[in-house]
Amino acid sequence: MVQLFDTTADNSAFIHAENADKLCASLKGSHAFITAGTHGKAPLINHLKAESTPPLEGTHLLTIIAESRLLHSREVIEKLCQAIYARGGIDKSNTPTLQLILNEVILNAIEHGNLNLTQVKRKASTNENWMDEYFEDVRKKLNSAAGDSPIIIQIARKGIHLHCQICDAGNGFDYETSLKDIDVSDPYGRGLSLLAAMVDTFEFTQNGANLHFTLRTRMNHDNYQAPSEESAKEFGRILVVDDQEINRDLAIHFLKSAGYRFIEGAEDGIDALAKVEEFKPDIIFLDIMMPNMDGFETCEKLKANPETMNIPVLFLSGMTDIKNRIKGYELGAVDYVTKPFEKQELLARTRVHILNGMALKSLHRFSHRLSDNLEKARHFQYTLLPEKELLAHIADTHNVHFEHEFIPCDELAGDYWSVFPIDKNHIALSLVDFTGHGVLSAMNTIRIHALFHELEEYLHTPKLLITHLNNKLSRLLEDGTFATSVYAVLNTDTGEMQYAGNGAPPFMHVNHKHKTVNMHDCSGFPLGLEASEEPDTTYGNLTINPHDTLMFYSDALIETIHKDGHMWDEYSLKAVLEKCVKKKQDATLFQTVQTQFFRTANTPLRDDLTLISLTYK
Amino acid sequence: MLETNDLGQGTYEIVLGKTFDFEIHKDFREHIKDALTKNPRKLVLNFANVEYIDSSGIGLVQLTKTECDKHGCEIVLSSIVNPHVKKVLDLVKFTEKFKVE
């Protein structure tokens, strides 16, 4: 894991361009590396062993030990940040911040620590050419033997924090005075003030020669990246299980010579199962005939354990008969290679299966994280809907009883509904259906939830509310995105209701006394398409009587294809309700519609379904 | 990398490059020196191209202000478009302390 480079070809350059390239190139792969010059070799190695650089807690991402001369470079620090990003330490949005901080602290460690320039800088800062003189001093010192002195950088990740430790080989510096000096208008000490302003915590120890800071960052979850052949060799882990040492060594030798770095051997099935747990291979080569536990049984055990069932198993066996091959595949192996094997064949198959295995593993991780996040978002979305307590309260105070159903067709929905108690004898009800479903539509439901609160003063008047809502949505929504809506305000004392429709399906008014069902048109121009002083909205009013029911729904109720190949339309819904209201029965209208719909609808649904019934007591 | 433009009426503009840190300090100081020999009324530091600034860059801006003050010349920071650059300049309160256009 540790690579040692000799970088002493030329000590005279301010920045070793060539070595910097080498350093940057190696940042891509290994987790730790050291660069060491002839002058610097001894102190570097000593430093590595020194107790002054305790290992960081958390998941270790990177350790770099390099000469000051090499690290005093923006280019190298930029590459260092990219390496931390590539290892998942930070996400893209945090990279510039980390780069700035690392730049400040590494330069601080070099200039104040290893090159001992603090006093020089203090003195210099009183004269107007101090900066020119100071940088000249830095350049000279970097080119002297002092430029060989090392910096150790350790990066780890623990929870939501990135932990960084920068340790220099100097005698420390007066960081306390420098911290007191933090004054942004003073050209001196600004590096530390930037550090203090940008990190969560920082602490100097060893008289200032050791700095530990933490930065709260998101991890790099930006992209799923398919593994490459290069990364397979760099990171792929192979377990070779064979009771014959010579066979095991031969396979390991072939794999090593092809560039695979992490290979482990096991001598039988029992040993293999123990090693799998610890070594976590990406692929397993499994012999069949082995003492203690044979290959078939081992494979069976691996496939029965959810932790190991996805690791590709490749049988390597002297048994050539078709029966054993078939048995191997039946047990879940991905391949079967007969012994004696050809080097090229073994490598070709390894390459294919390890890449597939790694891709599968990353996809599993990716999808697990994604579904975990979606689940959280789904929970959040449910919190936007009216709470049970609110509905129970409205039932008491306004004599209105609600029944409702909300079924997202994906993890997240583009439907939204809400009830607002406006005053002691008015309530408002809103049902909004955004185009599409999934994440984007769900975000829009959050927007509309916020907008209703913002437009609280207009809740009383459908016309004002809809005009403002439409204008706000027109500015907020992405091009081509819109929402259909029905908005109703009910006077719960008189039963008078005003409503506004914008492209929503008609709602149903069930009159229990006369056993009739009326449809109320809610067509109109959908919200969010264009701002207007007078949006094209259907306004209407009606009066409902005690025991009447109003039924509102999103279009999934009338546009879902049923098992007979047909959809319900608004007329068939009306017919269901009419039949129901004429026949005295125990189930509520809501329950009847719900049951009848799901009895024949093709599920899973292809659109979000919202169904609300309001019964006036 | 750096560019000085004569905007007329005694106003000179220095268009900064992609990075503004110790590696360009020499070049930057020369441009400032040249501009100040022309006795400008106003000196504009144009940040439109700047994607990265560190404490040395901040130090250079501060130094430029000191020198402009001596020459009785107004200093203005313009076109701070990159959010990270803006964040750093905000942190050190340069966006309050300097005239920003």
Side-chain angles (χ1 to χ4, degrees):
Chain A
M1 289 282 267
V2 176
Q3 295 180 10
L4 188 66
F5 295 119
D6 188 340
T7 63
T8 49
D10 177 14
N11 273 339
S12 61
F14 181 47
I15 297 163
H16 283 255
E18 191 194 325
N19 289 330
D21 284 349
K22 214 167 164 184
L23 176 70
C24 295
S26 55
L27 275 170
K28 266 176 79 185
S30 59
H31 278 265
F33 57 91
I34 302 168
T35 72
T38 359
H39 303 296
K41 210 170 256 174
L44 277 170
I45 301 303
N46 288 342
H47 225 92
L48 183 65
K49 291 175 187 158
E51 283 172 6
S52 59
T53 53
L56 287 179
E57 284 179 42
T59 311
H60 172 252
L61 296 172
L62 194 65
T63 297
I64 294 172
I65 304 180
E67 303 101 305
S68 300
R69 189 179 301 118
L70 201 58
L71 282 172
H72 200 278
S73 149
R74 191 194 57 239
E75 191 200 342
V76 171
I77 294 168
E78 192 180 332
K79 291 284 191 311
L80 173 62
C81 286
Q82 286 167 7
I84 297 168
Y85 166 71
R87 283 165 164 74
I90 46 172
D91 78 337
K92 241 182 194 135
S93 66
N94 285 304
T95 313
T97 307
L98 183 67
Q99 190 185 334
L100 176 65
I101 299 169
L102 281 178
N103 183 71
E104 298 300 335
V105 299
I106 291 172
L107 264 44
N108 181 73
I110 293 173
E111 294 169 18
H112 296 298
N114 288 353
L115 306 184
N116 196 20
L117 282 166
T118 308
Q119 291 313 315
V120 180
K121 192 170 176 178
R122 287 254 158 94
K123 228 183 289 165
S125 60
T126 53
N127 125 18
E128 68 177 52
N129 289 325
W130 73 270
M131 228 173 184
D132 304 335
E133 289 167 14
Y134 178 72
F135 285 133
E136 185 55 26
D137 279 336
V138 172
R139 195 186 66 82
K140 273 192 199 150
K141 279 216 160 185
L142 280 175
N143 285 333
S144 72
D148 282 343
S149 47
I151 300 286
I152 300 180
I153 303 164
Q154 292 183 79
I155 313 281
R157 181 156 188 115
K158 196 177 174 196
I160 53 168
H161 286 103
L162 190 75
H163 287 246
C164 306
Q165 189 158 265
I166 319 290
C167 187
D168 63 59
N171 297 322
F173 75 107
D174 184 7
Y175 61 90
E176 281 178 359
T177 309
S178 301
L179 284 171
K180 263 186 230 145
D181 276 358
I182 289 183
D183 171 8
V184 286
S185 62
D186 179 355
Y188 171 71
R190 194 169 285 111
L192 282 185
S193 63
L194 282 178
L195 168 75
M198 292 177 128
V199 300
D200 285 316
T201 61
F202 70 100
E203 185 190 13
F204 282 103
T205 50
Q206 311 276 331
N207 289 326
N210 197 345
L211 166 67
H212 176 256
F213 72 84
T214 61
L215 182 68
R216 190 182 164 131
T217 66
R218 288 180 50 212
M219 285 170 77
N220 170 14
H221 288 155
D222 296 355
N223 284 311
Y224 160 71
Q225 278 183 336
S228 63
E229 184 166 0
E230 207 183 33
S231 66
K233 288 186 176 169
E234 186 78 43
F235 302 112
R237 305 169 82 82
I238 306 171
L239 180 65
V240 179
V241 191
D242 199 315
D243 59 323
Q244 302 284 322
E245 197 177 348
I246 185 161
N247 287 339
R248 216 160 57 219
D249 287 351
L250 185 66
I252 292 175
H253 170 73
F254 284 164
L255 293 165
K256 276 209 165 132
S257 67
Y260 290 97
R261 290 157 47 108
F262 301 106
I263 309 161
E264 188 73 56
E267 54 192 38
D268 59 32
I270 295 173
D271 189 20
L273 292 178
K275 291 242 164 76
V276 164
E277 204 171 308
E278 191 187 313
F279 178 67
K280 303 204 182 323
D282 293 300
I283 186 168
I284 302 169
F285 290 107
L286 198 53
D287 184 21
I288 296 175
M289 298 276 282
M290 292 185 293
N292 303 322
M293 188 192 286
D294 72 11
F296 288 142
E297 192 185 341
T298 312
C299 184
E300 227 168 337
K301 291 212 151 57
L302 287 167
K303 296 295 160 192
N305 179 353
E307 294 281 316
T308 57
M309 63 190 295
N310 290 317
I311 306 173
V313 172
L314 205 146
F315 278 114
L316 272 184
S317 172
M319 298 196 288
T320 52
D321 61 301
I322 191 78
K323 258 168 99 181
N324 279 313
R325 278 172 177 264
I326 291 173
K327 186 168 180 196
Y329 286 119
E330 277 175 355
L331 287 172
V334 291
D335 211 343
Y336 193 105
V337 182
T338 49
K339 286 195 282 198
F341 46 78
E342 284 289 320
K343 180 181 174 183
Q344 291 313 323
E345 187 191 5
L346 180 79
L347 292 179
R349 294 190 190 222
T350 305
R351 187 180 156 276
V352 171
H353 294 304
I354 203 165
L355 280 176
N356 285 345
M358 286 172 78
L360 197 66
K361 204 160 126 185
S362 340
L363 273 174
H364 273 299
R365 271 203 301 265
F366 184 69
S367 90
H368 189 264
R369 200 171 54 236
L370 210 60
S371 54
D372 191 41
N373 283 340
L374 283 172
E375 183 59 24
K376 284 179 191 150
R378 197 169 70 89
H379 271 281
F380 175 75
Q381 194 171 38
Y382 275 97
T383 65
L384 301 182
L385 303 178
E387 286 173 358
K388 240 199 237 160
E389 293 75 18
L390 173 75
L391 295 178
H393 176 72
I394 290 177
D396 281 349
T397 53
H398 291 79
N399 289 325
V400 172
H401 175 70
F402 284 99
E403 287 171 280
H404 54 94
E405 178 81 276
F406 177 79
I407 304 174
C409 69
D410 284 339
E411 286 87 347
L412 299 171
D415 280 8
Y416 170 84
W417 79 279
S418 200
V419 183
F420 311 94
I422 301 174
D423 55 35
K424 68 177 184 10
N425 50 7
H426 287 90
I427 60 160
L429 178 139
S430 161
L431 170 58
V432 180
D433 179 357
F434 282 95
T435 29
H437 32 83
V439 177
L440 188 63
S441 311
M443 303 280 243
N444 286 329
T445 64
I446 298 169
R447 275 179 169 154
I448 202 142
H449 183 73
L451 284 176
F452 273 114
H453 286 274
E454 194 183 319
L455 299 173
E456 215 166 18
E457 59 183 303
Y458 305 116
L459 286 177
H460 211 286
T461 322
K463 192 168 180 177
L464 280 176
L465 182 91
I466 290 301
T467 307
H468 281 94
L469 201 56
N470 178 52
N471 289 347
K472 292 213 178 253
L473 284 175
S474 303
R475 275 203 306 276
L476 288 170
L477 295 186
E478 296 70 22
D479 277 351
T481 308
F482 57 84
T484 61
S485 150
V486 52
Y487 180 75
V489 177
L490 174 69
N491 182 326
T492 50
D493 284 348
T494 62
E496 285 169 317
M497 189 173 100
Q498 287 180 293
Y499 65 88
N502 290 82
F507 67 88
M508 304 287 165
H509 170 203
V510 183
N511 185 317
H512 276 270
K513 196 174 163 196
H514 299 109
K515 303 202 183 305
T516 55
V517 179
N518 288 319
M519 279 200 297
H520 291 270
D521 179 26
C522 287
S523 60
F525 205 56
L527 302 178
L529 281 173
E530 61 178 18
S532 162
E533 285 303 306
E534 283 212 20
D536 180 4
T537 304
T538 302
Y539 297 104
N541 49 61
L542 65 148
T543 304
I544 58 174
N545 303 307
H547 310 297
D548 283 5
T549 297
L550 296 170
M551 194 162 280
F552 301 88
Y553 50 92
S554 61
D555 51 14
L557 189 73
I558 51 171
E559 287 176 5
T560 293
I561 297 174
H562 287 253
K563 296 204 168 77
D564 61 2
H566 293 97
M567 297 187 288
W568 281 14
D569 54 14
E570 51 268 47
Y571 298 99
S572 42
L573 173 63
K574 186 173 178 250
V576 170
L577 290 169
E578 276 167 345
K579 206 169 149 192
C580 188
V581 78
K582 281 175 187 149
K583 220 165 67 183
K584 210 173 157 85
Q585 54 185 355
D586 293 337
T588 62
L589 289 169
F590 177 86
Q591 287 163 344
T592 309
V593 170
Q594 199 186 25
T595 317
Q596 291 203 12
F597 176 79
F598 282 107
R599 190 179 297 147
T600 54
N602 280 320
T603 50
L605 299 177
R606 298 178 66 177
D607 196 2
D608 309 317
L609 174 71
T610 306
L611 177 65
I612 308 156
S613 93
L614 174 162
T615 303
Y616 185 44
K617 290 185 198 160
Chain B
M1 260 230 312
L2 298 177
E3 202 183 289
T4 305
N5 298 322
D6 181 353
L7 302 182
Q9 297 179 319
T11 302
Y12 288 85
E13 173 193 57
I14 297 180
V15 183
L16 302 166
K18 208 168 146 183
T19 56
F20 193 21
D21 63 0
F22 70 92
E23 284 175 15
I24 64 131
H25 92 277
K26 253 194 172 146
D27 200 11
F28 178 76
R29 300 273 289 144
E30 265 161 35
H31 276 263
I32 297 290
K33 222 161 129 187
D34 284 353
L36 288 176
T37 54
K38 293 166 186 156
N39 287 325
R41 196 176 55 78
K42 184 165 146 187
L43 187 66
V44 180
L45 295 185
N46 184 327
F47 280 78
N49 303 323
V50 184
E51 292 173 15
Y52 182 79
I53 183 168
D54 71 355
S55 64
S56 309
I58 301 285
L60 286 169
V61 177
Q62 175 65 31
L63 213 59
T64 308
K65 180 170 168 43
T66 315
E67 284 176 24
C68 283
D69 286 350
K70 268 189 218 158
H71 283 78
C73 159
E74 185 190 13
I75 178 167
V76 172
L77 314 184
S78 83
S79 315
I80 308 166
V81 283
N82 184 292
H84 301 288
V85 172
K86 175 147 192 328
K87 184 175 159 192
V88 175
L89 292 171
D90 283 343
L91 271 176
V92 297
K93 303 202 164 65
F94 272 24
T95 43
E96 291 170 25
K97 190 170 156 182
F98 286 81
K99 189 168 169 190
V100 178
E101 283 177 355

